[in-house]
C-alpha cells in the first residue's frame, strides 16, 4: 500500500513538472442590433489566453486584458467590464448610446484587435497586439502594442528594464535612426519633418523581440505625422546583445 501511494505521489510530481506555459486562441465578436446597410458597427477581439501555470498565466492574462480594455473601452464605469465578452458589448453599447444622441450620423464604429505570441525564449515572452479602431472622423487608427513578460514569472518587463544602460543604447539607436532616415548628425532630429517631443530622439513606446532581431517600432504620431506613417528600426541580436538584460 505504501509503495502504491509513493508511486501515485511520484506521478503527480512528474505530471506537474511537465506542465508548461501554453496559449489557446479565443475570439470574441459583437455587432450592433441597430439596422444598417453597410459599415455596420462591430468589434472583433482575437487573443491568445495563457494556460497551465496559474500564477504566471493570471499575470499575463490580466495585463493583456487591461491593455486591450484601454484601447477599446469608452464608458465611465469600468467595474462591470471584467472580461472580453463584456468589453465587446460595452464597445457596441457606447456606439448605440451615441447613435441615440445623434441619429443622423450614419458612420459605423469598428474595432479589430488581433493579439499573438510574437516571440518566446527561456527569458522573454513577447505578445504583439495589432489594433484598429474607428469611431468617426477622417480615418481610423491602427497601431501595434508590445507586451513583454518575464517568461519564468509572468511579470511585465518594462522598457526601462530591458537595457543594461538605456542611455548608451539610445545613443546607439539614434545613430542608426539618423542613418536610415537620412538625418544629418549635425542637424536637429526633427530637421526633416519628424515630430519627436522637444526635438530630442527618444526610444519608442513599443519594443519587440522578433525572430529577426530587436524591433523599435514608432506608431503613427509618435515620431511622425499620420501621413508619414510609422517608423521602425530592427537590430540583429548579435548587434545589440551587449545592451540587453534579457535575451
Amino acid at each position: 500500500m505504501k509503495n502504491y501511494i509513493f508511486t501515485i505521489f511520484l506521478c503527480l510530481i512528474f505530471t506537474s513538472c511537465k506542465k508548461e506555459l501554453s496559449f489557446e486562441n479565443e475570439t470574441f465578436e459583437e455587432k450592433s442590433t441597430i439596422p444598417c446597410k453597410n459599415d455596420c458597427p462591430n468589434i472583433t477581439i482575437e487573443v491568445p489566453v495563457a494556460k497551465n501555470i496559474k500564477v504566471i498565466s493570471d499575470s499575463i492574462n490580466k495585463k493583456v486584458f487591461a491593455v486591450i480594455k484601454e484601447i477599446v473601452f469608452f464608458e465611465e464605469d469600468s467595474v462591470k467590464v471584467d472580461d472580453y465578452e463584456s468589453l465587446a458589448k460595452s464597445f457596441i453599447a457606447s456606439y448605440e448610446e451615441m447613435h441615440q444622441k445623434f441619429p443622423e450620423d450614419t458612420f459605423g464604429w469598428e474595432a479589430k484587435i488581433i493579439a499573438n505570441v510574437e516571440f518566446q525564449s527561456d527569458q522573454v515572452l513577447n505578445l504583439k497586439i495589432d489594433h484598429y479602431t474607428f469611431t468617426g472622423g477622417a480615418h481610423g487608427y491602427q497601431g501595434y502594442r508590445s507586451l513583454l513578460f518575464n517568461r519564468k514569472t509572468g511579470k511585465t518587463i518594462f522598457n526601462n528594464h530591458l537595457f543594461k544602460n538605456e542611455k548608451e543604447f539610445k545613443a546607439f539607436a539614434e545613430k542608426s535612426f539618423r542613418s536610415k532616415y537620412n538625418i544629418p548628425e549635425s542637424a536637429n532630429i526633427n530637421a526633416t519633418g519628424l515630430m519627436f517631443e522637444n526635438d530630442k530622439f527618444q526610444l519608442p513606446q513599443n519594443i519587440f523581440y522578433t525572430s529577426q532581431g530587436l524591433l523599435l517600432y514608432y506608431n503613427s504620431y509618435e515620431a511622425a505625422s499620420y501621413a508619414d506613417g510609422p517608423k521602425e528600426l530592427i537590430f540583429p541580436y548579435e548587434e545589440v546583445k551587449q545592451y540587453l538584460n534579457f535575451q
Side-chain angles (χ1 to χ4, degrees):
M1 183 65 179
K2 288 182 178 180
N3 288 338
Y4 176 76
I5 294 173
F6 182 70
T7 301
I8 295 295
F9 178 71
L10 287 178
C11 288
L12 288 172
I13 292 176
F14 181 72
T15 302
S16 64
C17 288
K18 284 190 69 177
K19 276 191 175 182
E20 292 185 0
L21 183 68
S22 64
F23 291 87
E24 183 177 308
N25 290 329
E26 296 187 16
T27 300
F28 305 86
E29 296 179 300
E30 197 72 30
K31 295 181 180 180
S32 174
T33 57
I34 297 175
C36 60
K37 293 182 180 179
N38 47 45
D39 296 329
C40 298
N42 67 91
I43 178 172
T44 300
I45 301 172
E46 298 177 14
V47 61
V49 178
K51 304 281 186 179
N52 284 343
I53 308 176
K54 183 171 174 52
V55 174
I56 296 176
S57 297
D58 285 351
S59 178
I60 293 169
N61 292 334
K62 285 177 181 178
K63 178 64 176 181
V64 175
F65 177 76
V67 171
I68 293 177
K69 183 177 179 180
E70 177 186 308
I71 293 169
V72 301
F73 187 71
F74 291 93
E75 296 180 27
E76 293 183 3
D77 184 9
S78 64
V79 176
K80 59 186 178 182
V81 177
D82 56 4
D83 58 30
Y84 289 107
E85 185 175 347
S86 59
L87 179 60
K89 289 182 182 298
S90 76
F91 179 83
I92 297 301
S94 294
Y95 164 79
E96 293 180 344
E97 182 181 345
M98 184 68 69
H99 182 79
Q100 286 183 343
K101 294 178 180 178
F102 307 100
E104 69 281 0
D105 292 336
T106 58
F107 62 83
W109 285 20
E110 180 184 0
K112 189 167 186 178
I113 313 294
I114 301 176
N116 67 278
V117 177
E118 179 74 8
F119 180 89
Q120 291 190 77
S121 70
D122 291 340
Q123 293 183 314
V124 175
L125 169 68
N126 194 180
L127 269 64
K128 176 182 180 180
I129 300 177
D130 181 350
H131 60 93
Y132 172 81
T133 52
F134 175 77
T135 55
H139 52 73
Y141 180 78
Q142 190 275 333
Y144 295 129
R145 292 287 295 268
S146 173
L147 301 183
L148 289 162
F149 300 95
N150 183 317
R151 198 170 183 275
K152 295 178 180 178
T153 65
K155 293 183 179 180
T156 298
I157 300 174
F158 296 99
N159 284 359
N160 61 340
H161 296 154
L162 283 177
F163 307 105
K164 295 174 182 176
N165 188 315
E166 186 175 354
K167 185 177 179 180
E168 287 183 3
F169 178 77
K170 187 163 73 169
F172 166 80
E174 181 174 357
K175 289 182 180 179
S176 297
F177 188 93
R178 285 176 176 271
S179 175
K180 179 174 181 178
Y181 292 105
N182 301 312
I183 306 169
E185 287 187 22
S186 58
N188 291 336
I189 194 67
N190 292 336
T192 59
L194 295 178
M195 299 169 54
F196 281 100
E197 189 174 354
N198 299 322
D199 204 7
K200 292 184 179 179
F201 176 82
Q202 298 294 336
L203 296 177
Q205 296 174 15
N206 295 281
I207 298 175
F208 293 89
Y209 280 71
T210 75
S211 58
Q212 290 78 37
L214 192 75
L215 172 64
L216 309 188
Y217 190 87
Y218 297 84
N219 281 301
S220 297
Y221 301 119
E222 192 176 349
S225 67
Y226 179 85
D228 287 335
K231 305 296 180 186
E232 62 180 60
L233 278 176
I234 190 162
F235 299 103
Y237 291 115
E238 281 297 315
E239 196 173 326
V240 295
K241 65 181 182 180
Q242 70 267 30
Y243 299 107
L244 298 175
N245 281 322
F246 304 91
Q247 296 184 44

